[in-house]
Amino acid sequence: MAVRLGELAVRFGLELNGDPDTTVDRVGSLVGAGPGCLSFLANPKYRRQLEATAASAVVLDAGSAADCRVACLVSRNPYADYARIATVLHPAPAAAPGVHASAVVDPGARVAASAGIAATAVIAAGASIGERAFIGPGCVVGSGAVVGDDSRLVARVTVYPKVRIGRRCIVHAGAVLGADGFGFAPDGGEWVRVPQVGSVIIGDDVDIGANATIDRGAIDDTVIEDGVRIDNLVMIAHNVRVGAHTVIAALSGVSGSTRIGHHCMIAGNVGFAGHIEVGDRIVITGQTSVTRSLQGPGMYSSTMPAMDAPRWRRLVARLRHLDALFDRVGRLEGDGDGRGTAGDQHP
Amino acid sequence: MAVRLGELAVRFGLELNGDPDTTVDRVGSLVGAGPGCLSFLANPKYRRQLEATAASAVVLDAGSAADCRVACLVSRNPYADYARIATVLHPAPAAAPGVHASAVVDPGARVAASAGIAATAVIAAGASIGERAFIGPGCVVGSGAVVGDDSRLVARVTVYPKVRIGRRCIVHAGAVLGADGFGFAPDGGEWVRVPQVGSVIIGDDVDIGANATIDRGAIDDTVIEDGVRIDNLVMIAHNVRVGAHTVIAALSGVSGSTRIGHHCMIAGNVGFAGHIEVGDRIVITGQTSVTRSLQGPGMYSSTMPAMDAPRWRRLVARLRHLDALFDRVGRLEGDGDGRGTAGDQHP
Amino acid sequence: MAVRLGELAVRFGLELNGDPDTTVDRVGSLVGAGPGCLSFLANPKYRRQLEATAASAVVLDAGSAADCRVACLVSRNPYADYARIATVLHPAPAAAPGVHASAVVDPGARVAASAGIAATAVIAAGASIGERAFIGPGCVVGSGAVVGDDSRLVARVTVYPKVRIGRRCIVHAGAVLGADGFGFAPDGGEWVRVPQVGSVIIGDDVDIGANATIDRGAIDDTVIEDGVRIDNLVMIAHNVRVGAHTVIAALSGVSGSTRIGHHCMIAGNVGFAGHIEVGDRIVITGQTSVTRSLQGPGMYSSTMPAMDAPRWRRLVARLRHLDALFDRVGRLEGDGDGRGTAGDQHP
């Protein structure tokens, strides 16, 4: 969609340097952009790319405007304003309202007239699909589940019975919301399944990545608060609570009953023990093991950076003797004291 | 479903303190329960919650009964007996027998009359679906695959050809059983696919979590023994064998041809090297790397707990010099000996 | 399919020791094989199994031929030649061409006459399915997506709009290609979605494992080059490039904009930071954190092997004092010098 720069400046409250009648119709990187492209500069280290860009316009901050030789939109938060303009240029495809002939919608389901139900989707009795919501091809929505207004289940999403999804959420393909929590009672060498009768409650404006899984609670619910962004292949176990506007990157797992605060940033492949409390505004680096409760705000890590393998192997071999090394140093210190004392006694 | 406490006491062989005509119709946590709820106390640290509970009845052990001010069912294993009673109060929805009109069942498939085949499920020629089994919406069952009596494929499960699933199993949404093992032969800088002609054999009473994957064997089969519980997003590679009643938590991966014993407890995000043997009754903590065979019983770990990030970074920097530190201490010890000897020679 | 050894020798250019009219019709391990089985010996440590095998024929190298008491095919690369012969004996099931009645193919999609579209597959307008390609049951192919000639989407694969898959690829069940990259701009305590308008480009002869996810690029494309093999549950983030013939094992994750060279071998559960460059012919061991760019060729590791848990816990406790230990050794060295100097001053 082609839009005049003047219109974008007014709509998003940005200062425009350049011809308001110039139009942009798509986004591009500073390096790859051509005429008609809108680009952005958010990180000063790319300023040299700015000087050479062939974009028709660039979103940038006031400090960079002088270096821009094409039109620019001056923003206090160029990346966020770029994102908003990009959403105008590349709108999500509007789902056609109505139910596809191949979808299977139980007569006992409530589907808003403005909602779109795609081919082969299956919606059970008692489910409720909100206004302008989209249930993509191959999705399964269980009995009593709720999908809020304007939410999109892209494709092949499974929503178990009674799960509640808020408004304006995006759930990517293959995600599974509300499978049974992993709860078993040991009894005579076997594991008795513990019925998982809680549900999953997802707030508004939540994103859930492809093939992520969020289990239903054992008794009470698993809760994902507003604005949370969950990446692909993340595991959220039963009775976890994730605070508002927290982001969790791919392949991270949160064990049962753990609570994560709001505005946290969890990198990829992080593991959380169960039954712990992680405070607000906490940052965790990739592949860290969070084994105990953490107070926020703060940054925590146990990321072990890769080394040249022979060197790493030597390090691991040394670590096996670290205990002994402490003892050796202790003895040396003792010896030193001994010798020192002895030295004092020297004539 | 409302049930009299007297009936539960008789059915599960529990001692009842309280009115046998009191009924419960659902479960609740000690804190959240209200009238009509059954709760449980399995961990003494929650005993103070017991004193304040509004549950109609609590399952607990003899030692806690005196502190309970509502009716109680006294058990030697309160959590397991709670689980059994919860299953009575919250039965899994009975699948209606029969094949949904939108399901695609090959005429060459054998489907028990008591089995339920849900909307949009696809069942290939030569597949066999047992008595009272349930094949949920969007599931795909390949040619020659077998689903045992009373097993449930909840939704969107893929069962590749010839895979055999035992009785009373639950397979959660998105799980993939029997995809090709990751086998390639290097040849002139490329990778030649090695046909994976084994299958996957799953015992009775096995649970498989959402989006978990269990690959078929290269020549022989991948085997999951009876009573194994596998959590979401777990990867079991080709030709692995997992012993009976072992539990494996989310995001763990077992490499090819590794054998894990029975009654093991594997935490989340654990990685196993290939071609190793892990004994019986072994416990592995979260995010551990199992790089060699381990003898059971025992607990093993390489979980590195998160620290405050600046402190962790300093530790990593120190580790890079650990090798040198050992040498420095060795020199000190040598010096000490030398000095010591010299000291002995002092007049 | 039964094949004469003489025919296999000619077809694959192998020397045959034995009767050319002997036939084999399936593969087997050296230990499990019986009459009619073809087996192989690629690792000398299994040579004793060779002596006892009941296989009808064995593929092996010249050095092992003397120990083989059954027919053998002598190869310079026994595992690769075994793989090729196994593909003859166990051909992938040929997909019947045509569109299943339950599939939903938009009239605006282009489907080759020789392609097979299975039950309940959904193909959107503008998608293109190549010659002899197979779109398995429950797959979803988005608008403008391309599936190349002879590629197979086994089942329940999601291909987002505009994603391009090359020729002779295999994509296993549950894989998701082209979901939105995990891109959000922080703004006033919330996260603004950044439209992900790039795509995913997959070369020829690529394998993608079950439930793996490859996200589309933010502006430019995510690229998987020819011959790459990606295992189950792997995450490839937006704008990553994976070089030709690289293999990535299960549960590994590559963060955004990272480039991995060609002919790399990445073990399971490895994490890559974003915006780094990993050279060609690099090997990474399991559960390693790749936090910075690495030059190839070479092997890198931060795999921490499991230990007996009490011993590991002691090690971790010691690590917390490693900083202090360095200081203590520094003091000892200082003391030693001091004493040494003092000693020199001894009469």
Side-chain angles (χ1 to χ4, degrees), chain A residues 13 25 40 52 63 80 92 103 155 160 173 179 185 237 266 270 298 306 309-310 324:
Chain A
D25 60 8
F40 72 99
Y160 276 60
I266 316 299
V270 171

Side-chain angles (χ1 to χ4, degrees), chain A residues 156 158 187 189 191 193 289, chain B residues 84 156 207 229 263 287:
Chain A
R156 296 201 311 98
T158 306
D187 192 43
W191 296 98
R193 283 182 193 117
S289 293
Chain B
R84 293 190 184 94
R156 294 200 313 96
D207 279 27
R229 313 296 188 174
H263 291 96
Q287 288 189 297

Side-chain angles (χ1 to χ4, degrees), chain C residues 302-322:
Chain C
S302 62
T303 311
M304 186 67 77
M307 295 183 191
D308 178 69
R311 201 178 147 207
W312 172 257
R313 260 183 249 119
R314 213 159 48 230
L315 170 55
V316 168
R318 290 302 206 183
L319 279 174
R320 293 180 185 283
H321 298 285
L322 185 62

